[in-house]
Amino acid sequence: MEELFVGQSYPRVDKDKVTGRAQYVNDIRLPRMLYGKILYSEYAHARIKSIDTSKAERLPGVRAVLTGYNTPDVRVGFIGDQTPLKKDKVRQYRDEVAAVAATDPEIAEEALDLIKVEYEELPAIFDPLKAMKEEAVLIHEVDARGRPRRNNILPLPWKLEVGDVDKAREESAYVVKDGFRTTWVAQCCMGTSGCIAEFDLNNNLTIYSVTNVPFGGKDRLDTFLRNIGINGTTRVLTPVVGGSFGTKLDTDMYEFIAVLLAWKTRCPVKILFSREEEFKTCPPRQPTITSIEQGCDKDGKLTFRNVEMILDNGAYTSWGATTPSVMMVPVSSLYRVPNVLYKATCVYTNNIYCQAMRGYGNPQGTFAVECSMDQLAEEAGIDPMEFREINANVPNETSPMGLKITTCPMKECLAEVKERLDWKNKHGKRNGRGVGLGSLIHVGGGARVYLSDGQGVILKVDDEGNVTIITGGTDQGQGSETIIRQMVAEAIGFRPENVFIVTGDTNICPWDVGTHASRHTFITGNAAILACEDAKRKILDLAAKIMSKEIQSGFKKKAKKDPEFKIPDLDYSMVSDPSNLDIKNGIIFPKTDPTNKYFQVPAARILRRAHMVGTGKGEMVMSEVFYDPPNEMLDREGKGNLSCAYTFGTHGVEVEVDKQTGQVKILNYVAAHDVGRSINPMLIEGQIYGAAYMGTGYGLTEEIKCVNGKVENPDFLDYKILTAKDYIPIEPIIVEPIDPAGPFGAKGIGEPACVPSAPAIANAIYDAVGVRIKDLPITPEKVLAALKEKEKQDKEG
């Protein structure tokens, strides 16, 4: 039968966000709650000689003042290279030196001003290339185990080697080599970071956290409690979250500090960032320095790709240091290339430390690969569109990295962009207008970075015919609750308005690896479908036992009321076999006679009747499922089928470049995306619009000005995020190959649409005016300088 709800553009159900009813962490007030504030370092690199907190402690309203000297010396973080509060030494401007809990935020802020810290400034290093040198100043003298460090290179080497790159280079007809750079950009969530920590009398911790990984956060905080000598466990409650984009993947230092303040005061303590703190202290997307070399044969087929990347890790390590695992995906597997060598090195500096951000390294890697693809096409004398068509990924192949590609409509995406951008008539004019494109490959079926990539789901069907889904996943603003309702309603046979979602409480919800890597629809959808199948089977088993009696009982009642009613002669064997029954819109009916009104019974009636047995043991319908997808962690060689499905796409951009000012105007933007199956086309288009804007900002305007380690533009006045005034005519194109592994054929789509924007724009600018900008963002100043340099070179011949 035709699907009723999947594939429909249902409006989002989380209307509270636009009515002001949604409760963010900002809105939560607890009895006796205190407010925490953090004092940050005044230097990028310095020794702490002394901290005097005496005046702050005497300020009325102050309940606690903590430093690294009166709190346990316990290391936290991805590789345990920092403590929540620093002592002895600071390594970046965002280092937390002291923290205060007070009865209101203003008193806490005033107390920070009363804390006197004496520093001895140390030589700092901000260039990762200089930081890699043997004589460079050490950011960390010892590692997490106290062993001496010899250099600033993180002990996380990333390497992938497939085939023979040297031989392929020698045999190539054309080879290009160049370098590209990307910079820091902020996630710019509408909701700033914050938490509330509270202990009960049994020393158990409850934390209201905006994390997108509640169980990962619980695990890290449980470990922290044990290490500081508190015999309690953690409950994570997740309120409504105003965006994440990767910034909430790790447990941040402010959360550990809130726990320490709550423990010290035995009161709930809230820490809530200002917008300035959000810019200065939240880990951004990491900058990269990339060297890329590619070759092809005389027919334009790729022969090899050799990529070396250096990542500015900043002063400490978070999940940003693992993004090379996803960078490896486009480097090795975007287009069909048989020989690949990839190396990535993460380096400590005294800059702000970095974190995951939407795309998890893919935007940086794809920027280099797709710009280089255009350069190689030009070297080979082949149209860039045709060059990509020659090398496009195809279905049912395994890439050099070991990615098992199932469905792959890359050629369809290229064709959509080619036609809608009028590529044939617009490319290569070099008249101030130009067209460019960039494609993508990204994980779309989970991404196994932990031992489990799974999620548990509990499903309950009540007497009224309502379905409750209890899931450990969280909504970060992507509209997942609407999608889940549609999939559950379709899978179990009820209506979306009868489906309810419970989430955001680690004491109630089953374990989930977290909402990241574009995985929520894929993982939750598959888990929910399995639970629905089990629950539906139970409902139909009950129906097969009860239905004929219910129908006949109804007939008798009706006959009593209406003497003229004649009880129909029915074949009740049709409703006594559960395999012949089905549910749609909450109504149970026999498959062999679906339109017979006498056999159509509301599921709620069957569910209620199951409780009216009078034997001491009735039945209720519940189901629990844990779905852990059959994907693989990368092995020591960097190979493995990281995801169950991969999503592809192509963005095409037409630009106009003002040669007098360097301004770039986007005239047309086509975003063709493989989504597997569109569960909700309207929300898919919303994801594409939002991500393409974010990708365009990455390409043209966004940049954290980190000068000698200090963030100089910590507000939306100076940080140039695109706004509604920066209208871009984006045309989203949905391509649906229906992936066999996905729920109803769907793949993840949260991150991919921001991946190819920057290279597509860079390639279009080159097509328009003949200058290639190799470091992001592509500002008017850079375009103008490149045009002047080109003019100078043209004159010199």
Side-chain angles (χ1 to χ4, degrees):
M1 296 177 70
E2 187 178 346
E3 288 160 347
L4 299 177
F5 312 115
V6 165
Q8 305 298 316
S9 289
Y10 272 81
R12 290 178 60 149
V13 297
D14 45 347
K15 300 181 181 66
D16 284 353
K17 291 179 180 174
V18 293
T19 61
R21 296 183 180 185
Q23 193 170 49
Y24 295 82
V25 70
N26 313 50
D27 304 310
I28 300 173
R29 303 281 187 275
L30 299 181
R32 303 169 51 250
M33 191 171 78
L34 302 175
Y35 297 84
K37 290 287 182 182
I38 297 170
L39 182 68
Y40 300 100
S41 172
E42 298 173 27
Y43 295 91
H45 199 195
R47 202 169 305 285
I48 299 173
K49 296 178 69 175
S50 66
I51 304 178
D52 182 358
T53 62
S54 57
K55 289 186 178 178
E57 292 168 3
R58 291 195 295 270
L59 184 68
V62 170
R63 295 290 182 267
V65 181
L66 300 181
T67 70
Y69 296 96
N70 62 5
T71 53
D73 187 9
V74 171
R75 286 177 173 255
V76 295
F78 184 73
I79 60 171
D81 57 3
Q82 62 174 317
T83 54
L85 290 158
K86 280 65 179 177
K87 66 177 182 180
D88 298 331
K89 184 176 171 181
V90 290
R91 298 173 176 85
Q92 57 171 355
Y93 276 103
R94 73 148 284 183
D95 264 356
E96 299 83 357
V97 176
V100 172
T103 50
D104 65 49
E106 291 73 23
I107 292 175
E109 195 74 50
E110 184 181 349
L112 294 185
D113 294 336
L114 298 175
I115 298 173
K116 302 301 177 190
V117 185
E118 187 178 0
Y119 296 95
E120 176 190 346
E121 189 171 5
L122 297 172
I125 192 160
F126 307 106
D127 182 341
L129 297 176
K130 293 180 180 177
M132 292 174 69
K133 294 182 177 179
E134 288 186 8
E135 67 274 16
V137 172
L138 286 178
I139 311 301
H140 294 266
E141 288 77 11
V142 296
D143 66 12
R145 297 181 180 179
R147 298 172 300 193
R149 289 186 55 85
R150 296 178 179 175
N151 55 48
N152 291 315
I153 297 173
L154 264 68
L156 291 169
W158 297 95
K159 183 178 179 182
L160 174 71
E161 186 171 10
V162 182
D164 190 335
V165 164
D166 290 336
K167 184 181 177 186
R169 184 189 294 111
E170 291 176 5
E171 294 175 353
S172 296
Y174 305 99
V175 173
V176 294
K177 183 177 182 179
D178 215 331
F180 298 87
R181 285 179 178 248
T182 65
T183 188
W184 298 273
V185 292
Q187 292 85 353
C188 295
C189 303
M190 290 182 70
T192 58
S193 301
C195 72
I196 304 171
E198 179 182 26
F199 283 92
D200 66 17
L201 295 179
N202 295 314
N203 298 338
N204 293 315
L205 169 68
T206 296
I207 185 163
Y208 297 78
S209 170
V210 293
T211 178
N212 54 328
V213 189
F215 288 89
K218 170 181 164 54
D219 186 52
R220 288 187 280 266
L221 289 169
D222 279 344
T223 301
F224 183 63
L225 295 184
R226 284 196 300 272
N227 289 343
I228 63 175
I230 298 175
N231 184 26
T233 61
T234 303
R235 178 187 189 186
V236 177
L237 299 175
T238 309
V240 177
V241 177
S244 173
F245 307 118
T247 188
K248 299 171 177 72
L249 189 63
D250 206 351
T251 304
D252 200 274
M253 295 306 111
Y254 77 86
E255 294 177 278
F256 293 111
I257 290 170
V259 171
L260 290 169
L261 289 170
W263 178 252
K264 177 71 175 179
T265 61
R266 304 300 289 187
C267 290
V269 175
K270 173 190 275 192
I271 293 180
L272 185 65
F273 277 6
S274 65
R275 180 58 64 184
E276 182 176 342
E277 278 181 297
E278 187 83 3
F279 270 111
K280 285 186 172 179
T281 66
C282 279
R285 176 182 285 159
Q286 60 276 76
T288 57
I289 302 170
T290 303
S291 170
I292 180 169
E293 182 184 24
Q294 292 193 100
C296 68
D297 65 17
K298 60 182 177 54
D299 298 320
K301 289 187 177 179
L302 287 169
T303 50
F304 78 95
R305 187 176 289 157
N306 181 8
V307 176
E308 188 163 356
M309 301 183 84
I310 296 168
L311 282 70
D312 186 343
N313 188 70
Y316 302 100
T317 306
S318 184
W319 284 95
T322 69
T323 55
S325 62
V326 174
M327 291 172 178
M328 212 180 284
V329 172
V331 166
S332 69
S333 307
L334 180 55
Y335 305 108
R336 303 168 78 190
V337 52
N339 301 287
V340 176
L341 178 59
Y342 170 67
K343 295 178 184 175
T345 305
C346 302
V347 186
Y348 281 125
T349 66
N350 291 113
N351 291 314
I352 184 172
Y353 79 85
C354 296
Q355 165 69 289
M357 187 177 167
R358 198 174 193 175
Y360 210 71
N362 199 333
Q364 298 100 307
T366 298
F367 176 62
V369 169
E370 279 293 15
C371 288
S372 177
M373 285 291 286
D374 254 35
Q375 291 176 314
L376 186 54
E378 184 177 35
E379 184 72 14
I382 302 174
D383 177 272
M385 178 69 78
E386 182 186 350
F387 188 63
R388 286 169 172 85
E389 291 169 342
I390 292 170
N391 293 289
N393 298 97
V394 296
N396 304 314
E397 275 199 342
T398 299
S399 82
M401 186 179 167
L403 310 182
K404 295 176 182 176
I405 296 169
T406 52
T407 53
C408 173
M410 179 182 267
K411 289 185 177 178
E412 289 91 325
C413 293
L414 287 166
E416 290 282 357
V417 168
K418 186 177 184 179
E419 178 185 346
R420 294 170 190 271
L421 218 54
D422 193 14
W423 182 272
K424 185 177 179 181
N425 292 316
K426 291 185 176 178
H427 180 262
K429 304 301 181 188
R430 201 58 63 83
N431 59 0
R433 287 192 174 191
V435 291
L437 77 157
S439 292
L440 74 96
I441 176 175
H442 197 68
V443 293
R448 187 170 292 268
V449 293
Y450 300 95
L451 292 176
S452 173
D453 194 31
Q455 180 188 105
V457 160
I458 299 171
L459 183 152
K460 175 175 74 81
V461 188
D462 68 20
D463 289 7
E464 306 300 322
N466 295 315
V467 181
T468 300
I469 292 285
I470 306 170
T471 165
T474 62
D475 187 280
Q476 303 295 303
Q478 71 271 38
S480 62
E481 290 194 14
T482 307
I483 299 289
I484 294 169
R485 277 181 168 86
Q486 288 179 252
M487 290 192 288
V488 168
E490 194 72 65
I492 198 168
F494 289 68
R495 294 194 58 77
E497 52 266 34
N498 295 116
V499 179
F500 300 90
I501 313 293
V502 174
T503 185
D505 186 341
T506 55
N507 273 13
I508 295 174
C509 301
W511 192 88
D512 170 67
V513 72
T515 302
H516 53 79
S518 305
R519 63 188 295 282
H520 202 57
T521 296
F522 186 92
I523 302 292
T524 306
N526 275 322
I529 287 173
L530 289 173
C532 287
E533 289 173 350
D534 184 52
K536 186 174 182 178
R537 180 185 56 75
K538 292 175 179 175
I539 294 170
L540 295 181
D541 283 347
L542 284 172
K545 296 176 188 173
I546 298 171
M547 210 162 155
S548 63
K549 292 180 182 176
E550 278 295 294
I551 293 170
Q552 293 177 63
S553 172
F555 288 158
K556 290 177 182 176
K557 290 178 182 175
K558 189 169 184 178
K560 280 186 179 178
K561 293 180 180 178
D562 181 4
E564 294 184 1
F565 174 71
K566 293 183 179 179
I567 295 177
D569 184 19
L570 300 175
D571 178 7
Y572 291 100
S573 66
M574 282 199 293
V575 296
S576 60
D577 177 5
S579 66
N580 191 43
L581 296 176
D582 202 353
I583 316 173
K584 289 287 183 187
N585 282 315
I587 303 295
I588 301 174
F589 59 88
K591 296 176 185 175
T592 49
D593 194 5
T595 59
N596 189 329
K597 64 178 182 181
Y598 296 119
F599 282 143
Q600 294 178 354
V601 177
R605 187 170 156 192
I606 300 299
L607 292 162
R608 282 195 297 275
R609 181 59 64 185
H611 293 175
M612 303 173 188
V613 293
T615 61
K617 187 179 180 183
E619 294 187 56
M620 50 192 261
V621 175
M622 293 188 69
S623 181
E624 74 280 345
V625 163
F626 192 89
Y627 173 73
D628 191 18
N631 50 13
E632 301 168 351
M633 290 188 79
L634 301 183
D635 62 19
R636 291 182 178 276
E637 295 182 348
K639 299 175 185 174
N641 190 33
L642 190 62
S643 182
C644 288
Y646 300 90
T647 185
F648 296 83
T650 301
H651 287 201
V653 180
E654 181 182 5
V655 302
E656 182 178 63
V657 180
D658 187 328
K659 294 182 180 179
Q660 302 301 313
T661 65
Q663 288 282 351
V664 176
K665 182 179 181 181
I666 295 179
L667 304 174
N668 192 8
Y669 193 126
V670 181
H673 275 274
D674 157 28
V675 303
R677 171 74 189 279
S678 174
I679 304 297
N680 186 321
M682 182 171 65
L683 296 193
I684 289 277
E685 289 181 357
Q687 286 279 19
I688 294 174
Y689 284 128
Y693 262 84
M694 184 176 268
T696 300
Y698 187 48
L700 291 178
T701 63
E702 291 190 46
E703 179 181 17
I704 291 178
K705 298 284 187 182
C706 191
V707 180
N708 291 334
K710 194 168 191 176
V711 176
E712 300 284 7
N713 56 340
D715 55 58
F716 282 125
L717 183 65
D718 295 316
Y719 184 88
K720 301 298 183 184
I721 189 173
L722 296 182
T723 70
K725 293 173 67 178
D726 302 300
Y727 169 70
I728 303 171
I730 297 170
E731 182 182 9
I733 307 298
I734 295 174
V735 181
E736 297 183 275
I738 315 296
D739 196 89
F744 297 101
K747 300 178 183 179
I749 186 64
E751 296 166 298
C754 75
V755 170
S757 308
I761 293 167
N763 290 336
I765 292 170
Y766 182 79
D767 187 51
V769 292
V771 298
R772 180 166 294 284
I773 310 302
K774 302 172 188 174
D775 59 324
L776 297 179
I778 305 173
T779 61
E781 292 82 3
K782 292 178 184 175
V783 174
L784 204 56
L787 285 170
K788 288 182 178 177
E789 179 63 24
K790 181 176 182 296
E791 185 180 355
K792 179 182 173 186
Q793 291 179 0
D794 289 345
K795 286 180 180 177
E796 293 173 354

